């Protein structure tokens, strides 16, 4: 048991160090040497957990899914909004998320499988939108599949631009603006005014 | 005169070759050797036009601005929509544009000045939206500066996602979806139904 615990801990420490290195340098310029130097582990221990740099990148991208925690709200559209606002906030500090986003959006020799990030985000949002649809929160005629793809695509660009301008400091604000302008074309008129597009008070 | 003409032509051929190489490999993996090999020019000729790889990248990013041709339409919001649809179409084939977008959105050792791409796009769109505002095409209370930033950010992400899924084949379609959902929160109600969100018939 103690050994299993140690194993888990070193796996986690490799992922965290690798996330920092990928986030700072991108995939191609990142080296396992630098990742090792930041963990203090041996190369043998690294290869015990991950056979290659690519395997580490893949594990990081998969960790993306765990970050998609759905906030429970009485209005399902509010859950979608809060999911994106919370994701925006976490991107400011969470190296694993930042790395997974960079690995997904940049074209490198790491051939990132789109299903692990875009598809997971779209699936989570689509499920919420379908529930919202059943509860008559969505305008008639709206294609919720189209909307989930639009939200993921738009958010992807907003976070890149926010990174370039403010190191992601203004990402929650940019996410709020996205919702302010999407909702009138998406939500039933009575609902638009009742939805909060800014982060909930802590 | 003939010499000046030759100079222009070799400058253009360097930019086109460099655009291909940057678009395929990204900034850091691109080499001036490969750029030279594709032009057939000498290294002396290359350095005559551009002192460094960085100078070539900067020239490509500046070429971005020339691509922002504003289509003249009676409704100014239609001009904005068509500007983005035309840009989406050109991104499918124009190596210079593709390279400038990749150089802007990826974090590399090329420290891309955001004013050359994001700001140019936002300025062009903002000017159109301000004209639209004066013509009462915009809903009262809309912050057009916020909207131009939102359009540029969202489009940036949509084109990255479109590149990952279809090599940008579905980018005009994704751009149409963006407009379909933005317009109800942006345009005056009477106008929404009169705006075309798909590319004009050729």
């Amino acid at each position: 048991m103690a050994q299993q615990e140690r194993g888990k801990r070193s796996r986690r420490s490799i992922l965290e160090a690798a996330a920092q290195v990928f986030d700072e340098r991108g995939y191609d310029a990142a080296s396992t040497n630098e990742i090792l130097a930041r963990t203090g582990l041996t190369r043998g221990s690294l290869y015990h957990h991950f056979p290659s740099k690519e395997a580490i990148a893949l594990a990081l991208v998969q960790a993306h899914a765990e970050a998609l925690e759905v906030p429970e709200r009485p209005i399902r559209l509010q859950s979608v909004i809060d999911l994106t606002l919370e994701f925006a906030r976490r991107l400011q500090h969470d190296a694993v998320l930042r790395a997974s986003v960079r690995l997904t959006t940049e074209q490198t020799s790491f051939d990132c499988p789109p299903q692990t990030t875009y598809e997971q985000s779209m699936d989570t949002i689509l499920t919420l939108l379908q529930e919202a649809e059943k509860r008559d929160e969505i305008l008639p005629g709206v294609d919720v599949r189209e909307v989930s793809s639009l939200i993921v695509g738009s958010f992807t660009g907003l976070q890149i631009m926010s990174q370039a301008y403010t190191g992601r400091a203004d990402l929650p604000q940019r996410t709020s603006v996205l919702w302010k302008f999407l909702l009138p074309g998406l939500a039933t008129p009575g609902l638009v005014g009742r939805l909060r597009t800014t982060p909930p008070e802590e």
Side-chain angles (χ1 to χ4, degrees), chain A residues 24-101:
Chain A
E24 288 165 24
R25 309 208 185 286
Y27 182 75
D28 286 318
S31 75
T32 51
N33 277 336
E34 188 171 0
I35 296 169
L36 274 181
R38 295 202 193 182
T39 57
L41 296 170
T42 64
R43 185 160 289 275
S45 166
L46 177 77
Y47 285 129
H48 170 72
H49 292 288
F50 301 102
S52 63
K53 183 168 91 167
E54 196 183 353
I56 308 178
L58 204 58
L60 283 172
V61 165
Q62 281 157 351
H64 189 96
E66 296 158 26
L68 294 168
E69 286 164 38
V70 176
E72 280 294 331
R73 307 284 184 238
I75 306 174
R76 298 317 268 160
L77 271 177
Q78 190 67 62
S79 293
V80 185
I81 297 170
D82 286 350
L83 174 76
T84 59
L85 289 170
E86 171 63 12
F87 195 80
R89 198 189 58 77
R90 285 190 57 187
L91 260 183
Q92 296 177 323
H93 307 291
D94 186 329
V96 172
L97 273 196
R98 294 170 74 105
S100 91
V101 166

Side-chain angles (χ1 to χ4, degrees), chain A residues 9-201:
Chain A
R9 224 181 302 159
S10 51
R11 186 175 191 277
R12 183 73 204 167
S13 90
I14 294 165
L15 285 181
E16 277 169 12
Q20 286 172 9
V21 177
F22 285 132
D23 180 35
E24 288 165 24
R25 309 208 185 286
Y27 182 75
D28 286 318
S31 75
T32 51
N33 277 336
E34 188 171 0
I35 296 169
L36 274 181
R38 295 202 193 182
T39 57
L41 296 170
T42 64
R43 185 160 289 275
S45 166
L46 177 77
Y47 285 129
H48 170 72
H49 292 288
F50 301 102
S52 63
K53 183 168 91 167
E54 196 183 353
I56 308 178
L58 204 58
L60 283 172
V61 165
Q62 281 157 351
H64 189 96
E66 296 158 26
L68 294 168
E69 286 164 38
V70 176
E72 280 294 331
R73 307 284 184 238
I75 306 174
R76 298 317 268 160
L77 271 177
Q78 190 67 62
S79 293
V80 185
I81 297 170
D82 286 350
L83 174 76
T84 59
L85 289 170
E86 171 63 12
F87 195 80
R89 198 189 58 77
R90 285 190 57 187
L91 260 183
Q92 296 177 323
H93 307 291
D94 186 329
V96 172
L97 273 196
R98 294 170 74 105
S100 91
V101 166
R102 186 163 180 187
L103 288 166
T104 304
T105 56
E106 294 192 354
Q107 300 171 55
T108 64
S109 61
F110 173 57
D111 200 7
C112 183
Q115 60 274 27
T116 54
T117 42
Y118 294 130
E119 301 271 326
Q120 278 170 351
S121 310
M122 285 192 292
D123 283 354
T124 305
I125 291 172
L126 179 60
T127 305
L128 287 168
L129 289 179
Q130 284 166 336
E131 290 172 22
E133 207 172 20
K134 281 192 199 124
R135 298 178 188 199
D136 295 322
E137 297 171 16
I138 307 276
L139 283 173
V142 164
D143 178 341
V144 286
R145 202 168 289 272
E146 230 175 42
V147 175
S148 41
S149 179
L150 173 64
I151 292 169
V152 172
S154 299
F155 183 87
T156 298
L158 293 175
Q159 66 83 23
I160 287 179
M161 216 168 140
S162 169
Q163 167 70 19
Y165 275 89
T166 65
R168 294 206 181 93
D170 68 2
L171 183 55
Q173 158 66 11
R174 286 179 190 265
T175 309
S176 295
V177 171
L178 173 67
W179 283 111
K180 192 166 74 179
F181 285 97
L182 281 189
L183 285 178
L186 176 60
T188 45
L191 203 59
V192 175
R194 288 167 56 207
L195 290 163
R196 173 183 39 72
T197 55
T198 51
E201 304 289 328

